[in-house]
Amino acid sequence: GWPKEFGSTGDDVAYDLKEAESGNIVIAGQAGVSGDDVPSGTQGGAGDYWVFKTNASGTIISGRNKVYHGSNTTYEQDYARSVVVDCVTGEYIVTGFCKSCYPVDFDFSALYMLKIPVNFGTPTEEEVYGYEGERDDFGSYNVIQAHEVFETCSSTSGFLSLGLQHPDGSYGCFGGQHDFWTVLTDNNLAPNDFTLACENSDYGSAFGGKKKDNGHSAVQICDGFLLTGLTKSNNKDLSCTLCQVTCNHYECTPAPETEDIWIAKIDYGTGELAWNESIGGTGNDGAYSLKRLPDGTFVVAGYTT
């Protein structure tokens, strides 16, 4: 019966789950050390993507339990943050943060996106996204299926990842803090390239100001995507016109030192910012989850101080 514990002697964390076929549950997160529930193949305790499937009673299904990581064993702190079930094939698309995907001696994260078959065999597709050649952090907090025709599942449906990039501060509009970062792919996880909103990301679009802006959750709407997370920027004096946070709850100068919930709409084809809104008070406020309801409205969940 429930509740259930899963793990071994290391630190093990579940970040997301989805209902799979026949009432089974696929869970994605981070594994520490192999043993007990954690399968063999971990890199030694610092963290790997861990994906496993249980039945409706919470028992791990035999052969449906694997860890995944990059080739860099020096920096091996990887963790899967989101999983979605492909509406066509039933496969599992997993995204997160991967330090072992960077070359040796680069202590930075990349977006590691993989597609796992229903039988948990070798991934049918794998892609690593992030700025090529620079020491910048990238990652994904959420992945959703993106349909060319709204709410219509087809073999051309791709995937949208939302997370953050954390450049080193030398690139004008990116500043020295996090920005929302989106990557749109086709069904094979290859880039279905947005018009590049900012110049220093190899794929996708980035939005934010000169302070921390984290993208946590996304939904598709009829003509684009809604993104939500938090913003600390409210700074419109930027060299890149699409990297902009609208000032709502604070005076724009001086820049605020507290966070707001930030909701932004981007267009489907170009990834360009259509509108944005910040929500919050004088303390720290942020959003972690955004869902579309059957009546076309939206519910946002997060925190407020």
Side-chain angles (χ1 to χ4, degrees):
W2 298 90
K4 292 284 188 176
E5 287 188 3
F6 304 97
S8 184
T9 56
D11 291 329
D12 309 300
V13 183
Y15 286 110
D16 196 16
L17 60 81
K18 292 293 189 299
E19 184 176 2
E21 78 290 344
S22 305
N24 295 329
I25 302 166
V26 59
I27 299 171
Q30 181 182 45
V33 179
S34 296
D36 299 320
D37 298 317
V38 181
S40 61
T42 63
Q43 293 197 86
D48 298 294
Y49 279 31
W50 183 21
V51 187
F52 62 95
K53 189 192 298 184
T54 77
N55 60 25
S57 300
T59 301
I60 295 178
I61 299 171
S62 177
R64 307 296 189 262
N65 187 8
K66 281 195 173 182
V67 292
Y68 304 89
H69 51 73
S71 59
N72 177 0
T73 59
T74 303
Y75 297 107
E76 52 195 34
Q77 188 173 355
D78 307 334
Y79 48 97
R81 290 300 305 253
S82 187
V83 58
V84 66
V85 181
D86 189 327
C87 65
V88 177
T89 65
E91 295 174 298
Y92 313 121
I93 293 79
V94 181
T95 63
F97 292 75
C98 181
K99 282 194 174 183
S100 71
C101 292
Y102 261 83
V104 175
D105 297 328
F106 278 67
D107 185 15
F108 299 91
S109 295
L111 163 58
Y112 179 34
M113 181 179 287
L114 66 159
K115 182 182 283 191
I116 302 169
V118 175
N119 65 3
F120 274 55
T122 301
T124 56
E125 305 290 347
E126 294 181 87
E127 292 287 347
V128 176
Y129 290 98
Y131 180 46
E132 298 173 349
E134 293 290 340
R135 299 184 178 191
D136 301 335
D137 274 335
F138 294 83
S140 172
Y141 284 111
N142 188 210
V143 63
I144 62 172
Q145 193 141 29
H147 306 299
E148 285 188 334
V149 178
F150 182 51
E151 295 187 319
T152 302
C153 178
S154 71
S155 60
T156 60
S157 296
F159 303 94
L160 178 86
S161 164
L162 172 65
L164 60 83
Q165 60 173 10
H166 185 182
D168 67 3
S170 62
Y171 300 129
C173 75
F174 288 123
Q177 296 288 337
H178 305 168
D179 290 319
F180 277 38
W181 180 52
T182 60
V183 173
L184 181 66
T185 78
D186 63 16
N187 193 261
N188 296 319
L189 307 188
N192 188 355
D193 205 10
F194 284 142
T195 300
L196 295 185
C198 292
E199 62 197 46
N200 289 294
S201 188
D202 59 347
Y203 297 108
S205 295
F207 309 97
K210 294 182 178 178
K211 293 186 180 292
K212 180 173 70 174
D213 308 298
N214 291 358
H216 289 150
S217 187
V219 296
Q220 187 170 8
I221 55 178
C222 61
D223 57 350
F225 302 96
L226 286 187
L227 319 175
T228 194
L230 64 88
T231 179
K232 198 174 181 180
S233 291
N234 275 343
N235 190 321
K236 296 188 283 187
D237 183 20
L238 302 170
S239 60
C240 178
T241 57
L242 291 179
C243 294
Q244 178 173 308
V245 178
T246 298
C247 179
N248 286 329
H249 291 277
Y250 298 100
E251 294 295 328
C252 287
T253 47
E257 293 300 327
T258 56
E259 300 160 358
D260 263 354
I261 291 172
W262 193 29
I263 301 175
K265 177 193 171 183
I266 61 173
D267 292 331
Y268 182 90
T270 65
E272 293 185 0
L273 184 66
W275 57 259
N276 67 110
E277 192 81 21
S278 66
I279 303 169
T282 57
N284 285 328
D285 311 296
Y288 286 118
S289 187
L290 172 67
K291 300 297 179 185
R292 182 177 181 272
L293 302 181
D295 64 359
T297 60
F298 302 88
V299 59
V300 180
Y303 64 89
T304 181
T305 58

